[in-house]
Amino acid sequence: MTIPLTLITGGSRGIGAATARRLAQAGHDIAINYRHDEAAAQAVAAEVRALGRRALCLQADIADADQVGRMFEAIDQGLGTVTGLVNNAGIVAPAARFLDTTPERWQRLFDVNVQGLLLCTHAAARRMSTRLGGAGGCIVNLSSRASEYGSPNVYVDYAASKGAVDVLTRGLGRELISEGIRINGVRPGIIDTEIHADSHTADLLPQRTRDIPIGRIGRAEEIAEAIAWLLSDAASYTVGTMLDVSGGR
Ligand code: NAP
């Protein structure tokens, strides 16, 4: 039986790290991409290896085409051809009203959250495509419930970048299934990770809990569970769709 090999972008922390642990439990070898924090990536790799699976850490800014190209070549050489991709790496920006934001900020959000996802999907899908001689594969994209709410007064630019992720999931899901690549997305609600420190909204989390029907913020492991299901054969008829994992919000 072929052992699945899955690249998780931003696999060093938060939802990505929880996904690495969950997929290793499900028998995947894991390529862990990160941007800054090598120690965090190596700690996740050690957990993957302790579960009996192979792991490789790869530093790359997913917004940079050359770095993404080198990352995929390193995975080819170090672990083999990817069968799975979790487009998880994403950034927010400090909470602000739209008129107080800048073109530089919008550019960086779209460079990482949209261009980065396109670059990684292109590189992975060219390896997976049965039309191009590959063996097929699965991709899961991390969007956000913000894509539906629009995040007024907080980060409409981030929400718009996640709207693009939804459209790419629907469009590419329907386009690439004919080449053996099954693509879906997950829209988390508010999840307890370090990302909220980057948007300077961490202090507001207890207050925001009031807007969540289930009455609490989510755990990274609860998102990892949905990602693992979408990547598994149990989701074999699920194509081009978004799964909301948001406590009802
Ligand atoms: P997080 O805790 O901030 O972790 C982000 C991860 O992405 C880190 O591993 C980071 O690596 C990596 N990363 C950031 N920019 C990168 C880049 N340019 N190139 C490569 N790696 C990069 O984030 P999270 O909360 O787990 O979020 C994961 C995904 O879920 C994101 O797409 C986010 O938009 C989405 N999401 C999160 C929530 C939430 O409430 N947490 C809600 C909805 C959607 P370094 O540490 O090395 O920089």
Side-chain angles (χ1 to χ4, degrees), residues 64-82:
D64 183 304
D66 292 338
Q67 292 184 37
V68 169
R70 285 197 293 274
M71 171 171 72
F72 273 87
E73 284 163 18
I75 297 168
D76 291 340
Q77 287 161 19
L79 293 175
T81 305
V82 289

mmCIF file of all heavy atoms in Angstrom, residues 64-82:
data_model
loop_
_atom_site.group_PDB
_atom_site.id
_atom_site.type_symbol
_atom_site.label_atom_id
_atom_site.label_comp_id
_atom_site.label_asym_id
_atom_site.label_seq_id
_atom_site.Cartn_x
_atom_site.Cartn_y
_atom_site.Cartn_z
ATOM 1 N N ASP A 64 6.597 33.427 -2.511
ATOM 2 C CA ASP A 64 7.749 33.586 -3.412
ATOM 3 C C ASP A 64 7.862 32.351 -4.325
ATOM 4 O O ASP A 64 8.106 31.235 -3.854
ATOM 5 C CB ASP A 64 9.016 33.756 -2.565
ATOM 6 C CG ASP A 64 10.251 33.999 -3.405
ATOM 7 O OD1 ASP A 64 10.550 33.165 -4.294
ATOM 8 O OD2 ASP A 64 10.931 35.010 -3.171
ATOM 9 N N ALA A 65 7.698 32.555 -5.629
ATOM 10 C CA ALA A 65 7.648 31.431 -6.573
ATOM 11 C C ALA A 65 8.937 30.609 -6.546
ATOM 12 O O ALA A 65 8.888 29.369 -6.599
ATOM 13 C CB ALA A 65 7.378 31.944 -7.986
ATOM 14 N N ASP A 66 10.095 31.264 -6.483
ATOM 15 C CA ASP A 66 11.359 30.516 -6.474
ATOM 16 C C ASP A 66 11.476 29.650 -5.228
ATOM 17 O O ASP A 66 11.911 28.493 -5.291
ATOM 18 C CB ASP A 66 12.551 31.478 -6.542
ATOM 19 C CG ASP A 66 12.624 32.176 -7.893
ATOM 20 O OD1 ASP A 66 12.058 31.627 -8.866
ATOM 21 O OD2 ASP A 66 13.227 33.261 -7.966
ATOM 22 N N GLN A 67 11.088 30.228 -4.089
ATOM 23 C CA GLN A 67 11.181 29.462 -2.843
ATOM 24 C C GLN A 67 10.212 28.271 -2.859
ATOM 25 O O GLN A 67 10.555 27.185 -2.379
ATOM 26 C CB GLN A 67 10.894 30.378 -1.642
ATOM 27 C CG GLN A 67 11.974 31.431 -1.432
ATOM 28 C CD GLN A 67 11.749 32.273 -0.181
ATOM 29 O OE1 GLN A 67 11.302 31.773 0.840
ATOM 30 N NE2 GLN A 67 12.074 33.553 -0.258
ATOM 31 N N VAL A 68 9.031 28.470 -3.416
ATOM 32 C CA VAL A 68 8.077 27.356 -3.502
ATOM 33 C C VAL A 68 8.628 26.268 -4.435
ATOM 34 O O VAL A 68 8.560 25.068 -4.138
ATOM 35 C CB VAL A 68 6.695 27.854 -3.984
ATOM 36 C CG1 VAL A 68 5.773 26.692 -4.344
ATOM 37 C CG2 VAL A 68 6.053 28.722 -2.898
ATOM 38 N N GLY A 69 9.227 26.680 -5.556
ATOM 39 C CA GLY A 69 9.811 25.706 -6.482
ATOM 40 C C GLY A 69 10.896 24.877 -5.793
ATOM 41 O O GLY A 69 10.920 23.639 -5.912
ATOM 42 N N ARG A 70 11.766 25.560 -5.052
ATOM 43 C CA ARG A 70 12.849 24.838 -4.352
ATOM 44 C C ARG A 70 12.289 23.922 -3.263
ATOM 45 O O ARG A 70 12.794 22.824 -3.037
ATOM 46 C CB ARG A 70 13.840 25.834 -3.747
ATOM 47 C CG ARG A 70 14.759 26.475 -4.798
ATOM 48 C CD ARG A 70 15.971 27.110 -4.144
ATOM 49 N NE ARG A 70 15.633 28.263 -3.332
ATOM 50 C CZ ARG A 70 15.504 29.515 -3.792
ATOM 51 N NH1 ARG A 70 15.700 29.759 -5.077
ATOM 52 N NH2 ARG A 70 15.198 30.503 -2.981
ATOM 53 N N MET A 71 11.221 24.372 -2.608
ATOM 54 C CA MET A 71 10.611 23.540 -1.556
ATOM 55 C C MET A 71 10.091 22.227 -2.143
ATOM 56 O O MET A 71 10.345 21.148 -1.591
ATOM 57 C CB MET A 71 9.473 24.311 -0.882
ATOM 58 C CG MET A 71 8.642 23.472 0.069
ATOM 59 S SD MET A 71 7.485 24.450 1.047
ATOM 60 C CE MET A 71 6.257 24.901 -0.190
ATOM 61 N N PHE A 72 9.384 22.292 -3.262
ATOM 62 C CA PHE A 72 8.842 21.065 -3.856
ATOM 63 C C PHE A 72 9.959 20.144 -4.348
ATOM 64 O O PHE A 72 9.861 18.919 -4.221
ATOM 65 C CB PHE A 72 7.833 21.406 -4.963
ATOM 66 C CG PHE A 72 6.435 21.605 -4.430
ATOM 67 C CD1 PHE A 72 6.032 22.853 -3.976
ATOM 68 C CD2 PHE A 72 5.543 20.552 -4.335
ATOM 69 C CE1 PHE A 72 4.761 23.041 -3.460
ATOM 70 C CE2 PHE A 72 4.266 20.730 -3.817
ATOM 71 C CZ PHE A 72 3.877 21.981 -3.370
ATOM 72 N N GLU A 73 11.046 20.735 -4.892
ATOM 73 C CA GLU A 73 12.178 19.888 -5.311
ATOM 74 C C GLU A 73 12.799 19.191 -4.106
ATOM 75 O O GLU A 73 13.185 18.018 -4.170
ATOM 76 C CB GLU A 73 13.214 20.737 -6.044
ATOM 77 C CG GLU A 73 12.785 21.068 -7.466
ATOM 78 C CD GLU A 73 13.582 22.231 -8.062
ATOM 79 O OE1 GLU A 73 14.659 22.552 -7.536
ATOM 80 O OE2 GLU A 73 13.094 22.815 -9.053
ATOM 81 N N ALA A 74 12.899 19.901 -2.994
ATOM 82 C CA ALA A 74 13.472 19.295 -1.785
ATOM 83 C C ALA A 74 12.588 18.152 -1.273
ATOM 84 O O ALA A 74 13.093 17.127 -0.799
ATOM 85 C CB ALA A 74 13.644 20.357 -0.697
ATOM 86 N N ILE A 75 11.264 18.315 -1.403
ATOM 87 C CA ILE A 75 10.365 17.226 -0.978
ATOM 88 C C ILE A 75 10.516 16.036 -1.928
ATOM 89 O O ILE A 75 10.604 14.877 -1.493
ATOM 90 C CB ILE A 75 8.899 17.710 -0.947
ATOM 91 C CG1 ILE A 75 8.730 18.826 0.074
ATOM 92 C CG2 ILE A 75 7.960 16.546 -0.611
ATOM 93 C CD1 ILE A 75 7.398 19.566 -0.019
ATOM 94 N N ASP A 76 10.581 16.317 -3.250
ATOM 95 C CA ASP A 76 10.776 15.229 -4.231
ATOM 96 C C ASP A 76 11.994 14.392 -3.843
ATOM 97 O O ASP A 76 11.957 13.156 -3.852
ATOM 98 C CB ASP A 76 11.020 15.801 -5.640
ATOM 99 C CG ASP A 76 9.788 16.467 -6.243
ATOM 100 O OD1 ASP A 76 8.676 16.190 -5.781
ATOM 101 O OD2 ASP A 76 9.971 17.273 -7.184
ATOM 102 N N GLN A 77 13.077 15.097 -3.522
ATOM 103 C CA GLN A 77 14.339 14.397 -3.236
ATOM 104 C C GLN A 77 14.353 13.769 -1.847
ATOM 105 O O GLN A 77 14.878 12.675 -1.652
ATOM 106 C CB GLN A 77 15.511 15.363 -3.380
ATOM 107 C CG GLN A 77 15.810 15.692 -4.844
ATOM 108 C CD GLN A 77 16.627 16.949 -5.018
ATOM 109 O OE1 GLN A 77 17.287 17.413 -4.078
ATOM 110 N NE2 GLN A 77 16.569 17.540 -6.209
ATOM 111 N N GLY A 78 13.751 14.454 -0.884
ATOM 112 C CA GLY A 78 13.859 14.002 0.508
ATOM 113 C C GLY A 78 12.823 12.968 0.912
ATOM 114 O O GLY A 78 13.114 12.087 1.733
ATOM 115 N N LEU A 79 11.607 13.069 0.357
ATOM 116 C CA LEU A 79 10.530 12.173 0.800
ATOM 117 C C LEU A 79 9.830 11.465 -0.356
ATOM 118 O O LEU A 79 9.269 10.388 -0.173
ATOM 119 C CB LEU A 79 9.468 12.968 1.582
ATOM 120 C CG LEU A 79 9.872 13.558 2.948
ATOM 121 C CD1 LEU A 79 8.725 14.406 3.519
ATOM 122 C CD2 LEU A 79 10.247 12.470 3.943
ATOM 123 N N GLY A 80 9.812 12.094 -1.549
ATOM 124 C CA GLY A 80 9.097 11.533 -2.696
ATOM 125 C C GLY A 80 8.057 12.516 -3.211
ATOM 126 O O GLY A 80 8.081 13.697 -2.882
ATOM 127 N N THR A 81 7.143 12.011 -4.041
ATOM 128 C CA THR A 81 6.121 12.871 -4.659
ATOM 129 C C THR A 81 4.932 13.038 -3.724
ATOM 130 O O THR A 81 4.386 12.038 -3.225
ATOM 131 C CB THR A 81 5.641 12.237 -5.985
ATOM 132 O OG1 THR A 81 6.781 12.007 -6.814
ATOM 133 C CG2 THR A 81 4.669 13.161 -6.705
ATOM 134 N N VAL A 82 4.523 14.283 -3.526
ATOM 135 C CA VAL A 82 3.397 14.517 -2.612
ATOM 136 C C VAL A 82 2.118 13.883 -3.153
ATOM 137 O O VAL A 82 1.856 13.899 -4.351
ATOM 138 C CB VAL A 82 3.137 16.029 -2.374
ATOM 139 C CG1 VAL A 82 4.223 16.671 -1.543
ATOM 140 C CG2 VAL A 82 2.906 16.774 -3.686
#
